[in-house]
Amino acid sequence: MRIVLPITALLLVAGCSGADGGQADRSATPSQSSSSSSSAPPKTSTTSPVAVSAPPQGTPIGAVIGWVEAGKPADLAGFHTANRDGATTQLNHGVAFTTPSGRTTCMSGMTAFDDGELACLTQMSEGPAKPAAVGPDGQWIPGWIDYPGDTLTVGGLHGDPGQFGYGTGAELSYGQRLRFGDYQCRTDQIGLFCVNYAHQSGVRISDAGVQPFGCLRAVDPGADELVGLKFGC
């Protein structure tokens, strides 16, 4: 029998930290010389430069993926466990990680039956409202995010913490990226960015909400789906 645990407590495992930082693009114009025979022609690049700043809303998915991939790779071996109250759980093929602020924690599926789908819990300053169809039973979690790749839902009705009952994973430091299954995620001070290669989709998760990329578009979840927001390809 599953033990019911308060989900909101899982979001308080670490304090908030981090500050916004500014970055500037640099450009250069190659000098020209007609008098020196030893001057070599300026080199040109055949690839587009990767943006220094995190991708804003509306950025094409290829550029989002490029920015995520430009992060510093993290060792996946350090993210196969979850910790809760001093107890460590091995997640087998599952992956768990937490942002440096402690406001978002994510975990992938641990069995072949869930295809390694990614779920996250985040503390949102103003999450989606509880649907009218949700009754008094269960617990409405506005910051529960399910991201299988071709869909993205925000907010859900949960009577127990599910996989998050195991606790939280290791910290994924700002600027680091983590590749697992069809996913790759990179942390930034303005939010967590994750992309799904199989469906060419992406999402930014922060306390301000979610920002979809790629094929994901807002759709009506319907009365039978007890979620706050839904995006689909």
Side-chain angles (χ1 to χ4, degrees), residues 23-29 49 52:
Q23 301 186 43
D25 294 329
R26 295 186 299 174
S27 60
T29 302
V52 175

Side-chain angles (χ1 to χ4, degrees), residues 90-148:
Q90 297 292 329
L91 302 178
N92 300 320
H93 296 291
V95 170
F97 60 92
T98 302
T99 59
S101 68
R103 297 184 68 85
T104 298
T105 182
C106 297
M107 191 176 296
S108 72
M110 294 173 284
T111 70
F113 300 103
D114 50 28
D115 296 323
E117 295 178 357
L118 183 64
C120 298
L121 275 177
T122 188
Q123 297 179 56
M124 291 186 177
S125 55
E126 187 175 351
K130 180 169 62 175
V134 175
D137 297 331
Q139 186 177 5
W140 175 252
I141 309 299
W144 187 298
I145 297 168
D146 284 316
Y147 177 39

Side-chain angles (χ1 to χ4, degrees), residues 25 50-65 67-68 188 190-191 193 202-204 210-214:
D25 294 329
V50 176
V52 175
S53 302
Q57 184 175 3
T59 301
I61 187 60
V64 177
I65 290 174
W67 181 84
V68 170
D188 187 81
I190 68 168
F193 289 77
V203 63
R204 187 192 95 179
V210 300
Q211 179 179 294
F213 297 99

